[in-house]
Amino acid sequence: MAGVPRWPAVVVLVAIGLLMALVSNRLTVGPPWLPLLVVLVLAVLIVIAIVLDRHDWRRRLGLIGLGTVTVAIAGSAVILVQQLIDGSAPEPTTLLSGAAAIWVANMLTFALWYWEIDGGGPSKRRRDGHISTDLLFPQLQVGDGTSSHGWWPGFVDYLFVAFTASSAFSPTDTLVLSRKVKGLMMVQTVISMVTIVVIAARAINTLR
């Protein structure tokens, strides 16, 4: 049986680049359009790799794209904290819209990380039954706990894991098993907490 669909990675990667392009250059490391340019080039190469059935290339290109946007998002989170501390933050509208874009981009980026890592990646996962030592979805805990009788996680399942980590600061119904995913989730949670704290601090300051 063929692996799971790969197109979500391309669409979401471009969406992340667009979100970062909307952030003010006062809140980014380098030009805001740079991550978008990188992911657009990589998206074209990823599509070519998929057409040529070179999933090893697709995986490497996808990881390069994820690494690029992760560094850009983490850098923006650091700038948010710095500007909050030294009082050099831009006007409230720019700051709040930028922080919101960073929060969403962070969620989408780590959803892609989980999608790319779980079970060895989309090229190794199967639609006729899913087995993984990275994430344990509740559907896999039915029966013998190792197979799902044809169930397989789609991108929305990984997006939900990332959303709960960004909003509740922990996974909810899905167990995190591997150390690499635990490490990624800690990074995601820290970035999310930073952006939410910045938004809350600005809101409190505005009320005053």
Side-chain angles (χ1 to χ4, degrees), residues 114-115 118-119 130 132-141 151 153-165 168-178 181-182 185 188:
Y114 306 143
W115 180 84
D118 187 36
H130 178 73
S132 175
T133 57
D134 298 301
L135 292 168
L136 181 60
F137 291 92
Q139 291 86 346
L140 301 177
Q141 301 177 51
W151 183 88
F155 181 75
V156 173
D157 297 291
Y158 298 103
L159 180 61
F160 180 74
V161 172
F163 176 78
T164 56
F169 305 135
S170 66
T172 51
D173 64 345
T174 303
L175 298 178
V176 181
L177 304 178
S178 67
V181 176
K182 288 177 181 178
M185 189 164 290
Q188 179 196 353

Side-chain angles (χ1 to χ4, degrees), residues 70 73-74 77 102-115 135 157-171 176 180-196:
T70 302
I73 291 168
I102 292 168
W103 188 89
V104 176
N106 179 55
M107 178 186 64
L108 293 176
T109 297
F110 282 90
L112 271 183
W113 273 116
Y114 306 143
W115 180 84
L135 292 168
D157 297 291
Y158 298 103
L159 180 61
F160 180 74
V161 172
F163 176 78
T164 56
S166 283
S167 55
F169 305 135
S170 66
V176 181
K180 54 189 173 183
V181 176
K182 288 177 181 178
L184 285 170
M185 189 164 290
M186 285 190 287
V187 174
Q188 179 196 353
T189 302
V190 169
I191 295 174
S192 178
M193 289 177 65
V194 166
T195 54
I196 289 177

Side-chain angles (χ1 to χ4, degrees), residues 26-27 79-91 95 202:
R26 294 184 59 183
L27 301 175
I79 293 174
L80 282 172
V81 173
Q82 177 187 356
Q83 294 192 353
L84 183 65
I85 293 174
D86 62 22
S88 61
E91 59 274 12
L95 179 65
R202 172 53 66 178

